[in-house]
Amino acid sequence: MSNIPETGRTPRVQVRLVIIQVLVFSLLLTLGGRLWYLQIRNGDEYADEASGNHVQRVVSPAVRGSILDARGVPLADNETRLVVSASRTELMKMKDDGKAVLTRLAGVLGMKPKEVMDKVRLCDSKTPQPCWNGSPYQPIPVTDEATTQQALQIRESSEDFPGITAEPTAVRRYPAPGKARTAQVLGYLSPVTDEEIQQAKDTDSPHLRSDQVGRSGLERTYDKQLRGKAGVTSYEVDKLGRVMGQTESDPGVPGSNVVTSIDARVQAVAEHELHQAMKTVRQETDKITGRKYEADAGAVVVMESRTGRVVAMASQPDYDPNAWVGGISAKDYAKLTGKGSNYPLLNRAIQGQAPAGSVFKVVSASAAVRAGYPFDGRYNCSSSYSMGNRSFANFESKGHGPISLGDALKFSCNTVFYRLGHQEWQRDGGIKPKKNAHDWFYRTAHDFGFGAETGIDLPNEVTGRIPDRQWKKKFWEANKDSWCKQGKKGGTYVEQIAYESCLEGNQLKAFDSINFAIGQGDVLITPIQLATAYAAISNGGTMYNPTIGKAVISPDGKRIEEIKPDAHGKLPVDAETIDDLDKGLRSVVEPGGTAAWRFGGWPQDKIPMRAKTGTAQVYGKQTTSWFATYTDDYTIVMTISQGGTGSGASGPAVRNIYDAMYGLDKEGNQDLKRALLPQPQKGLPKILPDGSIDAPEIRPYVPPKPKDPEPVLAGSPARRD
């Protein structure tokens, strides 16, 4: 134990405490002074430097999913190309807005300077294509067809090409297997706009500025599934652009694959046969006008009768969807949208409207039955039908005497339906309709699905038109001022029509109902509506929503979302009437029927065929050809605008499509080895362990050799309608 007294330690402890206090106070004073210096004296300077530090997001676009046919053959997929892009942000920093750089770039790429500059300008209401309708802050593709040498030249001379990049990039491709373009069905892509980014901001599928989105067709309908999720890596960078560190990384997810019900082989046949039919009929002379048929547009739909799934859909004129990849040129854009283009972007299978003509008579026959007329009753097929001082003739002013409704379909007798339409108009009160007017013909047309969308999984379907009393009133209210201004009593045909419409355009007249009964007048239908209706007759009465999408398969192949057929209604007649319609349509292809000459040698006992021909008159134009057919498996509808008669223009093409699908020769012999699709495709394509889909090869379609035309007796109805 120490002998030092306690009082001896106190001074030293106190000294130490004082020293520590001085040190702590000095440190606090120094720290406070430094904080004052940083925050008060030089605060603005350091705040400016700090604001130069920010987070930069680098986006890696997701690989878009493929669109496949029913057997897994790619209709739309991706390929790696060398893409040369320009940063508009960098170009705008230059004194000349980058004109010199773009001019040098044009020289390397073998393009005109104006062509390059047009591609990087921004779209607005006054700027025509080509222009950029995406975000101005993302790289703008100049070409996706750069060669390796061009890319190396740009990258090795980067000082001459500031703001220009040349990188391998996955771009969309439309391979057209077997020459099946499937253009209007597939659609095309273009960059997302700022407006679309804002609209999708709070949804479960927001857009990034680098996104390409579907603008039409399946690319648009299934855009969310196909697009996937882009990868985003965030970096912290200073005001000089130097990376200070990575803040977060969100890996991308490839888009899913969409399997369709389209069969590329049948699609190729449908496209070829439609094109060939139009080409052939242009060589024939229209006996009414004395001119060659124009055959300016057409469409064909091949549908599974029992499901509503679309096996093929073609529209003419068509186009190459690859024209949109990498940005469309001014020349190509003019070809697709100019006045002389005839608008190939339109899918006339769902957007083409025309009077129906005689293919509409299945509706009128059904309406007659609903109104109380027996299907097997006797109805006078006279050579003409008179109403007051007006006479309405058969197609060739030929009569058949008293016949059933089934025979009225077989011979396509107009006067039977003229009379029925007129009688029903009178029973409903005529110009002054009864309060309980049935309007069976108009109601039945609506119940068959006409005048409304079918619900097909493609955008921008049109409704057609059923000109009933309600439509007449609305149409008159919208147009009466124009009619009254244009109309003139005793003037030209157009002026006289306008004059009458001004006075009485809101009235449903006898003339309207007589014409409506044979699908003429103001009625308009689309090929997809007609195919849906005839498929319903084939399957016993169920009207399906036509579908093209069959399944959505995740990139790894583990998640499969099947798209099941969905019905939207039933035909408004009983099973007995449907059976009667079926028998009547079967007789159309048998001896004496209007389509018999197109189905010579058809194995009717093995593969029963039903059909209806139609020739629709359009004011100021040549007649529109309609041909509606079905077997137990398939429904095929074809139309050719300004193409003449149904069986004459469309008949051979439809027959060739059936022959290819069932493997038939012109004598009716079947070879299943040659048959493309003798029965509808049931399952989905095979998915491999890595998630890829096994796809068979597609051979180009070889059209049959032309057959000598069959002799037709003079005056025979077999060539008519």
Side-chain angles (χ1 to χ4, degrees):
M1 174 178 272
S2 174
N3 294 324
I4 300 174
E6 290 294 327
T7 55
R9 292 184 178 182
T10 301
R12 281 186 287 181
V13 171
Q14 290 178 342
V15 170
R16 289 174 183 171
L17 289 174
V18 170
I19 294 173
I20 291 173
Q21 290 174 352
V22 170
L23 289 174
V24 171
F25 179 77
S26 299
L27 289 173
L28 290 173
L29 184 63
T30 302
L31 181 60
R34 183 60 177 169
L35 288 174
W36 174 86
Y37 178 81
L38 292 175
Q39 294 185 5
I40 306 300
R41 187 178 187 280
N42 285 5
D44 292 341
E45 177 184 347
Y46 285 104
D48 290 341
E49 290 187 15
S51 66
N53 299 334
H54 60 278
V55 174
Q56 179 69 45
R57 298 198 312 167
V58 176
V59 178
S60 301
V63 176
R64 193 172 180 87
S66 297
I67 301 176
L68 311 170
D69 88 339
R71 302 192 308 151
V73 177
L75 301 173
D77 58 8
N78 308 286
E79 65 177 346
T80 301
R81 296 187 190 177
L82 286 171
V83 177
V84 175
S85 303
S87 169
R88 184 176 173 81
T89 303
E90 294 298 321
L91 294 175
M92 292 300 100
K93 294 178 181 178
M94 303 175 191
K95 292 182 179 179
D96 62 351
D97 294 333
K99 291 182 179 179
V101 173
L102 295 177
T103 300
R104 287 195 295 272
L105 180 63
V108 172
L109 298 177
M111 301 169 67
K112 295 180 180 179
K114 184 179 184 304
E115 186 179 358
V116 175
M117 292 177 191
D118 284 351
K119 286 202 168 190
V120 301
R121 64 184 178 179
L122 302 180
C123 291
D124 57 31
S125 59
K126 298 180 181 179
T127 304
Q129 288 280 352
C131 57
W132 177 250
N133 67 347
S135 169
Y137 302 107
Q138 70 184 84
I140 301 173
V142 175
T143 181
D144 60 2
E145 297 180 344
T147 65
T148 303
Q149 184 177 358
Q150 291 169 337
L152 287 174
Q153 185 175 347
I154 293 169
R155 299 186 70 170
E156 290 176 356
S157 304
S158 57
E159 67 279 2
D160 294 329
F161 300 100
I164 306 299
T165 58
E167 302 288 347
T169 307
V171 298
R172 204 60 165 165
R173 180 181 72 134
Y174 302 95
K179 297 185 178 180
R181 283 181 169 179
T182 329
Q184 294 91 346
V185 173
L186 293 173
Y188 59 91
L189 306 175
S190 70
V192 66
T193 64
D194 287 340
E195 182 181 358
E196 289 169 331
I197 292 174
Q198 290 300 316
Q199 290 175 349
K201 183 171 61 176
D202 297 326
T203 68
D204 60 351
S205 182
H207 287 300
L208 295 175
R209 293 192 182 276
S210 60
D211 281 343
Q212 294 269 322
V213 297
R215 292 298 174 201
S216 67
L218 297 174
E219 292 279 29
R220 176 173 170 180
T221 301
Y222 295 100
D223 180 73
K224 180 179 177 181
Q225 294 88 337
L226 291 165
R227 192 177 352 125
K229 181 183 177 183
V232 180
T233 302
S234 298
Y235 296 95
E236 185 179 357
V237 297
D238 62 17
K239 66 178 181 178
L240 298 178
R242 295 173 297 194
V243 176
M244 301 175 65
Q246 178 177 321
T247 60
E248 60 179 332
S249 178
D250 187 8
V253 179
S256 297
N257 298 313
V258 174
V259 177
T260 71
S261 54
I262 297 290
D263 187 294
R265 301 166 302 171
V266 180
Q267 179 71 26
V269 176
E271 290 183 15
H272 173 88
E273 290 298 337
L274 174 62
H275 176 75
Q276 189 61 40
M278 294 170 62
K279 183 179 177 181
T280 298
V281 78
R282 290 190 193 114
Q283 307 304 314
E284 300 179 7
T285 301
D286 179 5
K287 294 180 181 179
I288 299 175
T289 64
R291 298 182 286 108
K292 298 289 186 182
Y293 284 110
E294 293 188 22
D296 55 340
V300 60
V301 176
V302 182
M303 179 186 291
E304 293 179 6
S305 297
R306 296 188 182 93
T307 65
R309 287 190 169 121
V310 176
V311 178
M313 177 181 284
S315 177
Q316 283 286 333
D318 70 348
Y319 67 97
D320 182 0
N322 288 296
W324 292 91
V325 176
I328 192 167
S329 68
K331 183 178 179 181
D332 286 339
Y333 190 79
K335 286 181 179 179
L336 298 181
T337 62
K339 291 182 179 180
S341 67
N342 201 14
Y343 309 108
L345 295 179
L346 285 178
N347 183 349
R348 286 172 166 83
I350 67 170
Q351 296 172 305
Q353 305 177 101
S358 294
V359 292
F360 198 70
K361 288 173 181 173
V362 294
V363 174
S364 297
S366 300
V369 172
R370 296 179 80 187
Y373 299 91
F375 197 92
D376 290 330
R378 310 307 289 174
Y379 306 93
N380 186 20
C381 180
S382 54
S383 60
S384 64
Y385 178 73
S386 297
M387 182 197 69
N389 61 352
R390 305 189 70 167
S391 180
F392 302 86
N394 256 338
F395 190 75
E396 291 187 305
S397 299
K398 180 179 177 62
H400 292 274
I403 59 175
S404 67
L405 291 179
D407 284 339
L409 296 175
K410 176 178 181 177
F411 301 126
S412 201
C413 181
N414 288 345
T415 53
V416 166
F417 296 102
Y418 287 149
R419 187 172 284 105
L420 290 170
H422 189 199
Q423 289 173 358
E424 278 305 295
W425 175 82
Q426 292 173 322
R427 289 170 62 177
D428 284 330
I431 292 178
K432 297 179 179 179
K434 302 174 182 177
K435 289 185 178 180
N436 60 343
H438 291 293
D439 285 332
W440 284 118
F441 278 69
Y442 299 96
R443 183 188 299 184
T444 302
H446 283 296
D447 291 343
F448 262 73
F450 296 105
E453 295 180 3
T454 63
I456 189 170
D457 52 346
L458 288 176
N460 302 320
E461 180 188 4
V462 299
T463 63
R465 182 170 67 207
I466 297 301
D468 52 19
R469 297 182 195 275
Q470 292 74 23
W471 178 85
K472 289 282 287 187
K473 183 178 180 181
K474 291 179 181 178
F475 193 67
W476 177 74
E477 291 173 347
N479 294 278
K480 62 180 179 180
D481 292 342
S482 174
W483 286 334
C484 294
K485 184 177 180 180
Q486 181 186 9
K488 181 180 179 182
K489 185 177 182 180
T492 64
Y493 175 78
V494 174
E495 290 172 337
Q496 182 64 28
I497 292 296
Y499 174 77
E500 294 175 2
S501 298
C502 168
L503 298 178
E504 304 171 338
N506 60 333
Q507 298 176 350
L508 186 67
K509 297 185 177 181
F511 174 81
D512 296 317
S513 291
I514 287 173
N515 263 333
F516 183 80
I518 63 163
Q520 289 286 172
D522 291 316
V523 63
L524 293 175
I525 68 169
T526 66
I528 194 65
Q529 288 174 335
L530 192 64
T532 302
Y534 272 74
I537 299 173
S538 173
N539 67 40
T542 302
M543 292 187 292
Y544 285 100
N545 298 336
T547 53
I548 299 177
K550 198 172 182 179
V552 177
I553 301 178
S554 63
D556 58 10
K558 295 180 180 179
R559 297 190 311 278
I560 300 175
E561 180 186 346
E562 291 195 49
I563 302 170
K564 300 290 186 181
D566 189 24
H568 63 262
K570 288 277 189 179
L571 292 180
V573 289
D574 58 24
E576 182 180 355
T577 302
I578 292 174
D579 187 55
D580 287 335
L581 290 172
D582 183 81
K583 291 176 182 176
L585 295 173
R586 180 167 178 161
S587 70
V588 172
V589 301
E590 295 173 345
T594 57
W597 69 302
R598 289 307 189 192
F599 283 93
W602 181 266
Q604 191 73 332
D605 56 333
K606 296 180 180 178
I607 309 173
M609 173 64 65
R610 298 83 157 182
K612 186 68 196 79
T613 56
T615 306
Q617 296 177 339
V618 182
Y619 175 72
K621 294 185 177 182
Q622 296 167 313
T623 54
T624 294
S625 167
W626 284 99
F627 202 44
T629 64
Y630 65 83
T631 63
D632 292 342
D633 301 303
Y634 302 107
T635 297
I636 300 181
V637 166
M638 181 176 287
T639 183
I640 299 176
S641 169
Q642 303 197 89
T645 65
S647 60
S650 302
V654 172
R655 170 70 187 267
N656 287 340
I657 295 172
Y658 276 118
D659 286 347
M661 294 177 71
Y662 284 112
L664 299 171
D665 61 23
K666 292 306 178 185
E667 284 69 42
N669 301 310
Q670 187 175 31
D671 181 358
L672 291 176
K673 292 181 180 179
R674 292 177 49 247
L676 298 181
L677 201 63
Q679 294 180 343
Q681 178 83 18
K682 293 183 179 179
L684 295 174
K686 181 180 179 182
I687 303 173
L688 301 178
D690 63 354
S692 62
I693 296 177
D694 187 23
E697 293 184 5
I698 296 291
R699 296 181 180 179
Y701 169 58
V702 179
K705 295 180 180 179
K707 184 182 179 183
D708 294 334
E710 298 179 12
V712 179
L713 299 176
S716 167
R719 274 190 178 271
R720 308 307 179 215
D721 207 358

